Amino acid sequence: MKRKDLLGIQDLTREEILEILDTAETLQEISTRPIKKVPTLRGKTVINLFFEASTRTRTSFEIAGKRLSADVVNVTASTSSVSKGETLIDTARTLDAMAADCVVIRHSSSGAPHTIARMTKARVVNAGDGSHEHPTQALLDALTIRQRKGKLDGLKVAIVGDIAHSRVARSNAHLLTKWGSHVWLCSAPTLMPVGSDGLTENREFLHRTTSMEAALDGADVIMMLRVQFERMDESFFPSVREYFRYYGLTRAKVERARPEAIIMHPGPMNRGVEIATDVADGPYSVILDQVSAGVAVRMAILFLMLGGQSS
Amino acid sequence: MNLLVKNGRVVDPARKMDIVTDILIRDGKIRSIGKIDNADVPKFDATGFVVAPGFFDIHVHLREPGTEEAETIATGGAAAVAGGFVAVAAMPNTKPPNDNPSITAYICAEARRASPALVFPIGAITKEQKGETLAEIGEMVEAGIAGISDDGKPVMDGRLFRRALEYAQLFDLPVIQHCEDLNLSRGGVMNEGAMSTRLGLKGMPAAAEDTMVSRDLILAEMTGGKYHVAHLSTRRAVEMVRAAKAQGMKITAEVTPHHFTLTDAAVSEYDTNAKMNPPLRTQDDVNALHAGVTDGTIDVIASDHAPHHVNLKMLEFDRAPFGITGLETAVGLALTQLKLSLSRAIELFSLNPQKIMRVQKWGIFEGSDAHLTILDPGRQWKFDVTRSRSKSRNSPFDGWQLKGKAVGTIVGGRVVYEDRN
C-alpha cells in the first residue's frame, strides 16, 4: 500500500480498494484454522487509539492484529491522558515517540485522524471519525457484498436511516458509486443532509429519497443504519414508534427488494428502532458475515500497511 | 509631532482631491497642503505612493483584558499599523466583557500607553453580553466607546434589540449586529452544504444569517436606528441589505477579506484556520459579496481580526475556536481580490468606517488630525505569518502572494509604521 494512511474511501482508487479486498480474501482462511495465527507482523506495534466507545471495531482490529502476530495495544480515551486535558496532537506524538508502527484511531470529531496523520510518522488508519468516514466498515461491507453477489457493479444498494450522522453511509456511498452501483440514500427529510446529492464524485449513481418503498424496490442490498441518538441534539423525528413506522425494516418491506437481496447493518443494532428482530435474525441477514469480513479486511489493511506485499 | 510628507499622490475622495503634492504636519495636525520645500521638519518621502486618509478597521478583537496570551492592545495595535490601519474599533468580548465604563476606560488608557494605532472601544449592548438587559451605554459613551455590539453573541431577543436600536440614537451610536440565529446554527462549525456533508461536520445554514438580517432590517426600519451589519457572508443577506438601502434606509454593512476571498472548500483538510463565524460560504456567496462591494451595498471592509493562541487552534476542528487574524492582510487581499478604484478602496477603508462609528473625523484637510495611510498599490509581497506583529498565528493566508500594500502609517503625525521594502 503506497499511501501512508488510510483515512477515507473518497480518495482511494478502485485498484487500491481491490488490493485490500483481494488480500482480505486470501487472509480469511487464517481465521478458520485451529491455530488462528501467522507470524507475518511479529515485532510490529499497532495501537488502537479509541476516543469514542466501540466494542466491535476495536475488538476486530485487535483480533486482526493478533492473528498476524502484531503487538496490539488498546488505548481508550477514558484511560489515556486525554481526560487530563492533553491535546489530541500531544497524545498522538507521544504514541509516535513510543515507535508505534500503526495507529488505529476512532474519534467523535470528524477529521481528527487527518490531524493526527499529519503529525505522526506512524501510519494511521481511520476507524471512524465523527460523521465523516468509516473506511474499514465500507471495505468489509464491500467484501461481504462481493462474496454474496459476486460483484460490486450494477447493483441497487439501499442505505436507509440516519444518513445525516452516518459515516458508514458516506464511506459506502463513495465506495459503491466508484463501481457504478446505484446507491439510494433513504431517510426522513430531517436526517437527509443538505448537499448530499453532491456527496460522491459519480453523481449519476447517487439517488436520494424519503420513501423507503422507493429505496427498497428491486434492491439487491439493503443496508440499515443505526439511529445515532447520541449525536442528536435536536428533534429530528417525533418518536421511535413513528420512526419505525416509516423507516424501520420489517418483513413486509423486505418483500419489495429482490428475492435474493441481502440485509446488512454495521451494528450495533437498535432492534425495534431501525430493524425488526425477525428481519435482523432472518435468512437474508448477512450481519454476522459482515463481522467476520471485518476481521479479514482489517488484517489485510494491517498487512499491507506494515510491510506486507499483496500476492 | 511634525512631519513633511513629500511628493505623494494625495487622494481624499471626500474632498474630490487627487493630486501629487506635499502635506505639512505640525503638532499632530495637518497644517498645510501644497508644494512645501523649506520646512525644518522630518520628511517622509512618498514619491510613487498614494497618501490617503488613515484607514480604520472597525471590527477587531484585541483580547485585552483577559486573553493576553492571544493578543494585547499593544500587539494588536502593532499589527494594525503594519496593515496600514491608523485606527481600530475593538469588540467588547474581552474577559470581562466591555459592558461598563471602567473596562472602556481601561482599554482607552492602555491604548494610549501601548498601542501605536488609535483604539476605539465598542461597548456591549447588553450586560455581560447575555442578551438580557441593556448595558450602561451612556456611561460607556462618556468613557469613550464608538459603537455598541454584542458581537459573537447576537441579541436574540427581538424586543431587547429594538430597545437597543432606539436607545442608541440618543448618542448617535451605531448598533452593530453579528447576524446569526443561534437556534438555527447551534452546534455548527462550518457552512452547511455539500462540503459540510462530505466532511461530516455540522453545518451552519445561510438561513441562520439571513433570518437575523431580515428581522433586524425590519426593526431598524421601525426604530430608525443606526444599524450596521457586521461581516455579511451570504448572497441573500447582501440582497436584503441592497433592497433596504434602495428604500432609503440608513443602514450600513461590512464584509471581511476572508469572506470575499475564500469558500468552504478551504475547510477540506480540516484546517482550523479556515474555521470562522460566519463560516466561509460558497462561490455564489463570494460572487454576491463582490457585487455588493462594487455597487455600494457594502460600505466597509473590516478584518474581524480574531487572534487565538496556537494551543486552541491545534485542537480537533469541531473543538477549535472560530476566527482568524486579519489586520495585516486585509488591505492586500482587498486590493488583490477586488476590482476597486483607488477612491472606492479609500471609502471602504477610511471614509465609511469614520462615518459609521462615533469618532472625531479625520481626512486630508487643514486642521485635521494627521492620520494617514501611505499605499503602494503595485507592491508585490508575500504574507509571512511567522513575521506577523500579532501575538497569534491563526491565518489561512500564510504564504499568499498579494499585490498592494500599506507602506507607511502615520498616526497624529508620527510615523508608526514604514516598509521601504
Side-chain angles (χ1 to χ4, degrees), chain B residues 48-374:
Chain B
F49 299 149
V50 171
V51 181
F55 286 6
F56 180 12
D57 187 340
I58 66 172
H59 195 141
V60 166
H61 300 270
L62 295 180
R63 304 294 186 221
E64 187 178 356
T67 318
E68 289 83 356
E69 69 274 19
E71 197 78 287
T72 63
I73 290 168
T75 58
V81 298
F85 294 103
V86 303
V88 297
M91 280 295 176
N93 62 333
T94 46
K95 290 178 187 167
N98 181 22
D99 67 350
N100 68 74
S102 57
I103 300 288
T104 307
Y106 168 76
I107 294 168
C108 291
E110 181 60 14
R112 276 192 300 275
R113 190 189 73 77
S115 168
L118 305 171
V119 175
F120 298 105
I122 295 170
I125 297 173
T126 65
K127 288 197 177 100
E128 297 177 63
Q129 295 180 285
K130 280 186 171 167
E132 291 166 3
T133 53
L134 290 177
E136 284 183 306
I137 294 167
E139 295 288 337
M140 289 192 289
V141 169
E142 301 301 327
I145 61 166
I148 52 172
S149 178
D150 274 359
D151 191 49
K153 296 179 175 168
V155 182
M156 287 286 286
D157 181 334
R159 185 169 66 170
L160 184 60
F161 195 63
R162 169 200 178 168
R163 297 301 178 212
L165 284 166
E166 290 169 344
Y167 192 73
Q169 292 175 59
L170 190 53
F171 313 103
D172 192 33
L173 270 188
V175 181
I176 303 166
Q177 179 89 296
H178 164 120
C179 288
E180 177 186 356
D181 180 320
L182 298 172
N183 293 323
L184 278 167
S185 63
R186 189 168 57 214
V189 297
M190 69 174 292
N191 181 51
E192 179 179 282
M195 188 56 76
S196 66
T197 293
R198 188 177 294 185
L199 294 174
L201 291 170
K202 195 149 195 293
M204 311 164 84
E209 178 166 333
D210 301 341
T211 54
M212 195 63 137
V213 170
S214 164
R215 181 203 78 173
D216 283 3
L217 288 172
I218 290 164
L219 294 176
E221 185 180 30
M222 172 188 179
T223 58
K226 191 171 177 183
Y227 176 64
H228 177 75
V229 193
H231 43 48
L232 282 177
S233 75
T234 69
R235 168 176 288 279
R236 183 163 292 178
V238 172
E239 286 168 355
M240 286 189 287
V241 169
R242 180 180 292 128
K245 286 188 163 190
Q247 286 172 27
M249 283 174 62
K250 301 281 179 250
I251 54 148
T252 52
E254 82 193 22
V255 66
T256 73
H258 46 277
H259 286 116
F260 65 62
T261 301
L262 299 172
T263 68
D264 59 1
V267 181
S268 64
E269 297 297 317
Y270 299 96
D271 179 0
T272 55
N273 288 332
K275 180 176 177 180
M276 57 279 282
N277 188 5
L280 298 172
R281 306 280 188 189
T282 67
Q283 189 59 49
D284 181 57
D285 297 302
V286 170
N287 296 344
L289 293 169
H290 282 237
V293 170
T294 305
D295 72 9
T297 301
I298 290 168
D299 305 275
V300 172
I301 297 171
S303 70
D304 194 5
H305 179 78
H308 289 292
H309 194 274
V310 65
N311 287 354
L312 296 176
K313 280 292 195 180
M314 276 170 88
L315 296 176
E316 294 86 334
F317 191 89
D318 51 9
R319 292 187 190 184
F322 292 106
I324 60 167
T325 60
L327 279 165
E328 290 157 292
T329 45
V331 170
L333 285 166
L335 296 177
T336 306
Q337 297 286 325
L338 304 172
K339 292 182 186 70
L340 292 178
S341 68
L342 198 52
S343 61
R344 180 71 183 136
I346 294 167
E347 278 174 23
L348 289 159
F349 277 115
S350 180
L351 305 187
N352 292 343
Q354 291 186 60
K355 268 185 214 157
I356 291 164
M357 305 304 286
R358 189 183 195 272
V359 295
Q360 183 170 347
K361 318 296 184 220
W362 59 88
I364 300 183
F365 57 92
E366 286 170 17
S368 169
D369 285 335
H371 305 324
L372 301 171
T373 295
I374 318 289

Side-chain angles (χ1 to χ4, degrees), chain A residues 22-50:
Chain A
D22 293 346
T23 306
E25 247 165 13
T26 65
L27 295 174
Q28 242 170 346
E29 175 266 329
I30 294 170
S31 297
T32 65
R33 296 179 191 173
I35 307 294
K36 305 179 193 61
K37 205 175 184 78
V38 294
T40 316
L41 296 184
R42 195 155 56 196
K44 299 288 184 184
T45 305
V46 175
I47 295 183
N48 282 332
L49 180 57
F50 276 57

Side-chain angles (χ1 to χ4, degrees), chain A residues 89 107 109-110 132 170 194 198, chain B residues 192 197-198 200 270 316 318:
Chain A
I89 288 165
H107 201 293
S109 293
S110 299
H132 176 229
R170 285 168 176 76
V194 170
Chain B
E192 179 179 282
T197 293
R198 188 177 294 185
Y270 299 96
E316 294 86 334
D318 51 9

